[in-house]
Amino acid sequence: MDHIITVLTAAVSISTAILLWRIIPKLLTIPSPAELEKANKEILHLAHYDTLTGLVNRNYFNIMIENAITEAKKNQYRLAVVFMDLDRFKVINDTYGHGIGDLLLQQVSKRIVSSVREGDIVSRQGGDEFILLLQDVSCVEMEKIMKRIIQSLSSSFILEGNEIHCTPSIGISCFPSDGMDAGTLIKYADLAMYKAKEKGKNNYQFFTREMNEEILKKLVLENQLRKAIEEKQLQIYYQPLLDLRTNRIVSTEALIRWEHPEKGFISPADFIPLAEETGLILPIGEWVLNEACKQTSMWRDQGFDLSISVNLSNRQLMNENIVETIKKALLHYQLDPKHLTLEITESMAIINLEDTLHKLKQLQDFGVHIALDDFGTGYSSLSYLSMLPITSVKIDKSFIDDINNGMKKEIVKSITNIAHSIGLKVVAEGVEDEQQFTIIRSLGLERVQGYYLSPPLPADEVEAKVLAVKV
């Protein structure tokens, strides 16, 4: 046994010696000046350029813009900083995968570079964000370059057999009129880019002082909204829905209201989009859902045969926990799922159609009803009526306002007939006078909602003014 161990030890020692004999000379090899220069260039390139697109990276761009501002001050010429974001890039990434997303970024980069002048700097900041630095440029030249970029990106991209469309939202700030330093110019170009998104995307906007004032107001409002959530300033009002066949109130829609202690009533149109943007809609939406289920369960315990409608925002629908959140609320307040209707809009439904269908189908299987809200204001594709797992359609107020107009009346009649033919109920929103009410009743719609019946009211007023009164 000892002899075997001795032989093995000797063999290992010999192998180790041979290995060291081969490696050590390589470790001790001193690189040539050419090899050192090549290695330094590679390191410098990695430090200055984006590995995916080959464009200038964020750090190097910051150095270049500072140098450019110094030169512009010295020679008294104009600079433009252009902040660019690709519209719906996340949807493309999620749908086709990150491999296709990377190919798209590479192709977009090439098209941007081909659209600018020689000497202009194009930088990838990360993700789908790009910043351009246009030096010694006039306003006329800026507009020409922006139009070339938009036109260049308007052609579809063919990536691994997939035809993909991608548009940019572009914001522009100028030196010296908008700012004298890099940080300010980039921030203002970013603000202008968000304004381009608000204006429908696939366009460019120049920074204005009003944009800065607007963002400051939004920041103040955001802080106040966070405080409102903490201090329970938000309330839920309920607007009744009348069943035209039985002539009784069968449901209410939960609508959020904000009574600010100093400013008074703040319109949902002012704070709901902000809540969506900041993500505050998630805690707000969950609170509304729970309060609405709680109140409806109480009303049912009191003998009122009522259901509840709750609006579901895009941000909520995209949340991976939304199905469980809804189930949990229903179970906690012992409200039968058939007494809850979730309202979604057409534009929400198609953002990520496959994921939306999956979640809505889960909710439908659980017993929850789904209504397509504001029908007629979005894509208005009748195919969604049969594709989505919905039980009712709510015709937008804009059609009801002019329902005495022959064309609008025929549109409402046609939508109603098509919806009925595939087993859907139809609700008219925003009914405000007797004439509208009479016409709607004659068209065979099932339910109406609006100020003609009742404005949205706090729960106690619904009980006193609506539920206690025989309609």
Side-chain angles (χ1 to χ4, degrees):
M1 185 66 180
D2 291 341
H3 174 70
I4 294 172
I5 293 172
T6 301
V7 171
L8 288 173
T9 303
V12 171
S13 298
I14 292 168
S15 299
T16 303
I18 292 170
L19 188 62
L20 290 173
W21 177 72
R22 289 182 175 177
I23 291 174
I24 286 174
K26 294 182 180 180
L27 293 174
L28 295 176
T29 300
I30 299 172
S32 67
E35 289 173 328
L36 279 173
E37 185 180 355
K38 181 183 178 183
N40 285 333
K41 283 182 178 178
E42 288 177 357
I43 293 168
L44 198 61
H45 189 274
L46 288 171
H48 288 171
Y49 294 90
D50 176 52
T51 54
L52 178 65
T53 62
L55 299 177
V56 171
N57 65 19
R58 181 195 296 265
N59 292 333
Y60 194 29
F61 181 82
N62 290 339
I63 295 170
M64 297 178 86
I65 191 173
E66 292 290 356
N67 293 336
I69 289 172
T70 301
E71 285 295 312
K73 287 177 180 176
K74 180 181 175 182
N75 297 303
Q76 296 187 332
Y77 60 70
R78 183 196 298 265
L79 294 175
V81 174
V82 180
F83 201 107
M84 185 183 308
D85 180 86
L86 302 182
D87 303 325
R88 299 181 66 248
F89 179 75
K90 185 180 184 303
V91 175
I92 294 170
N93 232 0
D94 292 345
T95 303
Y96 297 100
H98 292 281
I100 294 292
D102 286 348
L103 290 175
L104 177 61
L105 290 172
Q106 290 171 339
Q107 293 299 314
V108 166
S109 301
K110 290 177 181 177
R111 292 192 189 184
I112 295 171
V113 170
S114 68
S115 301
V116 300
R117 306 166 305 168
E118 187 177 349
D120 290 333
I121 297 165
V122 182
S123 166
R124 181 185 175 217
Q125 295 289 291
D128 61 327
E129 292 180 344
F130 299 84
I131 293 190
L132 284 59
L133 179 60
L134 312 180
Q135 303 185 64
D136 194 10
V137 63
S138 68
C139 288
V140 173
E141 285 178 306
M142 279 185 236
E143 299 228 29
K144 286 181 179 177
I145 293 168
M146 295 308 106
K147 287 175 182 176
R148 281 203 300 268
I149 291 172
I150 290 173
Q151 184 177 7
S152 174
L153 296 182
S154 65
S155 300
S156 61
F157 297 82
I158 307 300
L159 304 172
E160 295 186 356
N162 300 294
E163 184 176 0
I164 295 171
H165 295 272
C166 181
T167 58
S169 291
I170 303 172
I172 309 160
S173 66
C174 298
F175 168 90
S177 56
D178 296 329
M180 299 292 287
D181 63 272
T184 300
L185 291 169
I186 292 171
K187 181 179 77 172
Y188 287 167
D190 192 14
L191 287 179
M193 183 273 293
Y194 277 104
K195 180 57 67 173
K197 282 193 178 294
E198 288 178 12
K199 288 186 174 290
K201 305 175 183 178
N202 197 27
N203 71 93
Y204 63 89
Q205 296 292 319
F206 285 92
F207 170 78
T208 64
R209 294 292 162 186
E210 289 74 21
M211 289 181 190
N212 198 38
E213 292 170 8
E214 184 179 325
I215 200 69
L216 288 174
K217 286 180 181 177
K218 284 176 72 174
L219 286 172
V220 171
L221 189 63
E222 180 187 342
N223 289 333
Q224 291 176 336
L225 183 55
R226 291 182 187 277
K227 189 176 180 181
I229 296 169
E230 293 172 5
E231 297 183 353
K232 297 181 171 49
Q233 296 173 14
L234 302 177
Q235 304 172 50
I236 299 179
Y237 279 39
Y238 299 87
Q239 188 169 37
L241 278 77
L242 178 72
D243 189 312
L244 291 172
R245 297 165 303 179
T246 62
N247 205 40
R248 70 178 188 85
I249 302 299
V250 292
S251 182
T252 64
E253 180 180 354
L255 299 165
I256 193 165
R257 296 292 183 263
W258 181 8
E259 191 71 28
H260 192 278
E262 296 171 4
K263 296 181 178 179
F265 176 76
I266 297 179
S267 170
D270 292 331
F271 72 86
I272 292 297
L274 179 63
E276 278 272 344
E277 183 183 326
T278 58
L280 290 174
I281 196 67
L282 294 177
I284 290 173
E286 187 171 347
W287 174 77
V288 170
L289 174 70
N290 277 277
E291 287 296 309
C293 288
K294 178 182 176 181
Q295 182 61 63
T296 305
S297 185
M298 288 171 58
W299 276 332
R300 294 192 64 79
D301 288 343
Q302 294 169 23
F304 298 113
D305 186 13
L306 288 175
S307 295
I308 185 72
S309 291
V310 177
N311 291 283
L312 205 60
S313 75
N314 178 40
R315 195 76 173 257
Q316 287 175 280
L317 190 55
M318 290 174 66
N319 186 278
E320 59 181 12
N321 299 319
I322 187 61
V323 174
E324 288 307 312
T325 298
I326 292 166
K327 288 182 178 179
K328 184 179 176 182
L330 289 166
L331 293 170
H332 181 75
Y333 293 107
Q334 298 182 335
L335 183 65
D336 193 313
K338 70 180 181 182
H339 297 308
L340 172 65
T341 297
L342 297 170
E343 299 189 8
I344 64 168
T345 62
E346 296 169 81
S347 54
M348 278 171 54
I350 68 165
I351 287 177
N352 192 347
L353 188 57
E354 186 177 344
D355 182 60
T356 297
L357 287 172
H358 176 66
K359 288 171 180 172
L360 295 183
K361 187 68 171 62
Q362 284 182 285
L363 290 167
Q364 184 189 54
D365 291 343
F366 190 64
V368 174
H369 294 292
I370 311 293
L372 195 60
D373 195 15
D374 299 335
F375 190 81
T377 60
Y379 291 83
S380 303
S381 173
L382 294 174
S383 64
Y384 292 119
L385 295 183
S386 58
M387 185 186 302
L388 294 168
I390 58 176
T391 52
S392 60
V393 176
K394 297 188 77 172
I395 298 178
D396 187 68
K397 182 181 184 299
S398 59
F399 290 91
I400 307 305
D401 286 341
D402 298 324
I403 200 165
N404 55 342
N405 174 292
M407 184 179 292
K408 289 287 181 72
K409 181 179 177 180
E410 286 304 313
I411 291 173
V412 172
K413 183 179 179 181
S414 297
I415 293 172
T416 301
N417 290 339
I418 292 169
H420 284 168
S421 70
I422 54 177
L424 303 178
K425 294 178 180 178
V426 185
V427 182
E429 293 186 286
V431 179
E432 296 191 350
D433 59 45
E434 188 174 357
Q435 183 183 25
Q436 293 172 352
F437 182 81
T438 303
I439 294 172
I440 288 162
R441 187 189 284 275
S442 71
L443 295 178
L445 282 76
E446 281 83 3
R447 294 180 180 180
V448 296
Q449 176 182 359
Y451 276 67
Y452 178 69
L453 299 174
S454 171
L457 298 169
D460 57 346
E461 291 189 36
V462 172
E463 293 176 16
K465 298 179 180 179
V466 180
L467 301 182
V469 178
K470 187 176 181 180
V471 179

